[in-house]
Amino acid sequence: MTALTPNDLSGTYYGIGVIDHEEGAVAATHDPGWALAAIHAHYRITGGDLLGEWGIDPSRDFQQGWGWLEPRADGNWLHCATGRPDNPDAFPATWLCL
């Protein structure tokens, strides 16, 4: 696993890196409690939707798996999958599934 750099992240909250994704934010952790805290802080700071108003239940609303970045000419592209990919740069990832 390659460590994510600050340039890869949209922000770091409570020590958890968060990456904005086209379908929402992804937290670089498998801990659902920390993922919820980091994603909520990210949305609160960036002016997005507040997760507290949605009644998020981490055991029901989060998907866990692995993320990896694919370098492209227009910037890094984030991929997420529930099974561990055959990719040495994969990192633990948790994202909302609403």
Side-chain angles (χ1 to χ4, degrees), residues 3 8-9 18 21 25 32 34 36 38 41 52 56 58 60 63 67 80-81 86:
D8 298 325
L9 303 172
V18 175
H21 187 261
W34 284 113
L36 176 61
I56 301 297
R60 177 192 70 214
Q63 181 73 47
C80 291
D86 186 20

Side-chain angles (χ1 to χ4, degrees), residues 17-48:
V18 175
I19 300 172
D20 271 325
H21 187 261
E22 61 198 20
E23 297 176 9
V26 176
T29 181
H30 276 160
D31 184 302
W34 284 113
L36 176 61
I39 291 173
H40 181 73
H42 176 71
Y43 283 138
R44 193 176 63 244
I45 290 169
T46 61

Side-chain angles (χ1 to χ4, degrees), residues 31-86:
D31 184 302
W34 284 113
L36 176 61
I39 291 173
H40 181 73
H42 176 71
Y43 283 138
R44 193 176 63 244
I45 290 169
T46 61
D49 295 318
L50 296 176
L51 298 183
E53 297 173 4
W54 292 359
I56 301 297
D57 177 354
S59 65
R60 177 192 70 214
D61 300 324
F62 276 138
Q63 181 73 47
Q64 292 182 329
W66 299 91
W68 65 98
L69 298 172
E70 176 188 339
R72 293 189 176 180
D74 60 345
N76 287 334
W77 190 259
L78 175 65
H79 297 276
C80 291
T82 54
R84 183 163 178 111
D86 186 20

